[in-house]
Amino acid sequence: MGFLSSSSSIVFKLGISIIFLVSFSGYTPADAYDPLDPSGNITIKWDIITWTGDGYVATVTLYNFQQYRHIQAPGWTLGWSWAKREVIWGMNGGQTTEQGDCSKFKGTIPHCCKKTPSVVDLLPGTPYNQQVANCCRGGVINSWAQDPATAVSSFQLTVGQAGTTNKTVRVPKNFTLKAPGPGYTCGPGKIVKPTRFMGTDKRRVTQAMMTWNVTCTYSQFLAQKTPTCCVSLSSFYNSTIVPCTTCSCGCQNTSQPGNCVDSKGPRIASVVPNTGKNLYVPPLVQCTNHMCPVRIHWHVKVNYKLYWRVKVTITNFNYNMNYSQWNLVVQHPNFDNLTQTFSFNYKPLLPYASINDTGILWGVKFYNDLLMQAGPYGNVQSELLFQKEASAFTFEKGWAFPRRIYFNGDNCVMPPPDSYPWLPNTASHMPIGSSFAAIAASISLLLTVFLHGNL
């Protein structure tokens, strides 16, 4: 019994220590797992197309199998470590960021001699003789749900000093993917069955000499330890406007007048194009109580006999960044009966086939697919019309508000549930439509001021 007691004590103390460390670091297991996209990943396929005198020619393709997390400007950067003394003689559709030390080569100089090359996509407008299929979009890759046709990016490279048979070629090690910042962790390259290619005439099939895959998964905790977006709520049946939680993404600086961001608090970071070496600069965020670059507002707008209507507004408070090809993922049980969206595209997400409670929303091309920088045009909005499901529909206990919201793949901070707009007690004694209509007019002015004000 004494042994058991001692062991239990040790286990208990160890458990407390682990809980303390996890709590202190701010990390939770949920940060590394996305329940709304459990199998999402970026798969890198490396196909050796042909052998050369001292190596091979390979096509490297990045497939974004994530349903709603895309890679935005300034694009992806792929890196690895060579297993031997390989060099890159030439590239199409991509380029390395540094050439490295090629002083030992005479005559023809390799494209890159680094042991750990870093490759980026070429920009639009690249000459055709330097292009390959699915290249030259500046490293921008759309999510799989939004546009599968542009969820792929490729480049081709000629590798030397690498061996010229399946037995002498070695798979590179230590793959890294920045998209464009941190967040992705890549596994080792695994040799798989060679890829088969269909000819343009659809009558002949060829295959790669050798193929290996690398799988990279995303963790929001690794990408950004502080949130990047928050959610506010309102409804026509209650005058309460629930703002984003104070200090959702950071706190205002009170010690230095004129400098809103607290340098000692959590770092608010956004990836913005920059000509310097540092691609990650703190954004110029509008001073708000939440200090988030992006706010999503969910407003329960109208109640009909058979339907109910919601207005969604996305506001950009970041003066340094336009969000192109943005998307919003919302989890709500009534998405199974979504009838119409008025100015956003919509597609259901079914991470668990029998449950349809999650949808992805994104902008209409050339209309509102670009979320502008902070200012009078720094917002996009749409309305959603839901059909009521008699067995589940209610305005009580916050049912009409979303369970979870993601912006560009990042989980947004929700207000605490006990702060949600509540249903007036008198509503239970009056016809639901008439009680709501009676107070709708008195709240519309408050909502207008809130949604268009500098909060």
Side-chain angles (χ1 to χ4, degrees), residues 285-305:
V285 179
Q286 184 175 328
C287 270
T288 59
N289 68 314
H290 52 78
M291 292 305 296
C292 289
V294 173
R295 182 191 68 196
I296 295 91
H297 186 77
W298 180 279
H299 172 53
V300 180
K301 185 177 181 181
V302 182
N303 178 53
Y304 305 107
K305 182 177 181 180

Side-chain angles (χ1 to χ4, degrees), residues 402-454:
R403 309 301 185 261
R404 185 177 316 195
I405 288 183
Y406 287 55
F407 178 79
N408 276 0
D410 284 345
N411 199 357
C412 300
V413 178
M414 299 289 296
D418 59 356
S419 68
Y420 284 19
W422 43 269
L423 193 66
N425 293 332
T426 56
S428 60
H429 305 291
M430 300 174 61
I432 193 168
S434 61
S435 66
F436 293 159
I439 61 175
S442 64
I443 301 174
S444 60
L445 179 61
L446 290 174
L447 293 175
T448 301
V449 173
F450 176 80
L451 295 177
H452 295 89
N454 294 325

Side-chain angles (χ1 to χ4, degrees), residues 162-433:
T164 57
T165 68
N166 290 19
K167 294 183 179 180
T168 57
V169 168
R170 295 290 179 267
V171 179
K173 304 175 182 178
N174 304 325
F175 281 89
T176 60
L177 177 64
K178 295 181 179 179
Y184 286 91
T185 302
C186 299
K190 295 183 179 180
I191 297 176
V192 297
K193 187 177 180 179
T195 305
R196 293 165 60 88
F197 304 98
M198 178 66 71
T200 54
D201 61 358
K202 309 296 182 182
R203 301 174 66 187
R204 174 176 165 80
V205 176
T206 59
Q207 74 176 40
M209 306 296 175
M210 188 177 182
T211 298
W212 55 80
N213 287 349
V214 178
T215 301
C216 302
T217 55
Y218 179 85
S219 165
Q220 184 175 344
F221 177 78
L222 293 177
Q224 177 67 34
K225 294 184 179 181
T226 56
T228 58
C229 54
C230 64
V231 178
S232 57
L233 308 170
S234 63
S235 63
F236 70 91
Y237 55 77
N238 193 305
S239 59
T240 301
I241 300 174
V242 181
C244 286
T245 306
T246 301
C247 295
S248 293
C249 302
C251 294
Q252 294 186 16
N253 184 4
T254 57
S255 60
Q256 297 178 357
N259 183 13
C260 188
V261 178
D262 187 355
S263 60
K264 296 181 180 179
R267 179 172 178 264
I268 306 172
S270 290
V271 179
V272 295
N274 183 19
T275 55
K277 292 183 178 180
N278 181 17
L279 292 178
Y280 315 104
V281 297
L284 182 59
V285 179
Q286 184 175 328
C287 270
T288 59
N289 68 314
H290 52 78
M291 292 305 296
C292 289
V294 173
R295 182 191 68 196
I296 295 91
H297 186 77
W298 180 279
H299 172 53
V300 180
K301 185 177 181 181
V302 182
N303 178 53
Y304 305 107
K305 182 177 181 180
L306 298 177
Y307 300 89
W308 63 293
R309 194 175 181 120
V310 169
K311 183 175 182 179
V312 178
T313 304
I314 307 172
T315 305
N316 184 1
F317 292 98
N318 188 350
Y319 287 106
N320 276 345
M321 189 167 183
N322 291 329
Y323 294 92
S324 60
Q325 298 295 331
W326 60 266
N327 65 56
L328 194 70
V329 172
V330 183
Q331 186 180 38
H332 190 284
N334 214 175
F335 264 109
D336 194 29
N337 293 304
L338 179 65
T339 303
Q340 186 176 358
T341 60
F342 291 89
S343 60
F344 288 170
N345 291 306
Y346 162 77
K347 184 176 182 179
L349 294 178
L350 304 171
Y352 311 99
S354 61
I355 304 175
N356 182 12
D357 66 349
T358 307
I360 177 174
L361 305 166
W362 70 95
V364 178
K365 195 169 185 179
F366 303 124
Y367 175 60
N368 59 0
D369 59 332
L370 180 66
L371 179 56
M372 300 293 288
Q373 297 170 348
Y377 302 105
N379 69 86
V380 291
Q381 51 192 325
S382 180
E383 295 189 4
L384 314 177
L385 185 66
F386 295 93
Q387 185 176 4
K388 294 180 180 178
E389 185 178 346
S391 62
F393 177 81
T394 179
F395 281 134
E396 295 182 353
K397 300 178 181 179
W399 185 91
F401 298 104
R403 309 301 185 261
R404 185 177 316 195
I405 288 183
Y406 287 55
F407 178 79
N408 276 0
D410 284 345
N411 199 357
C412 300
V413 178
M414 299 289 296
D418 59 356
S419 68
Y420 284 19
W422 43 269
L423 193 66
N425 293 332
T426 56
S428 60
H429 305 291
M430 300 174 61
I432 193 168

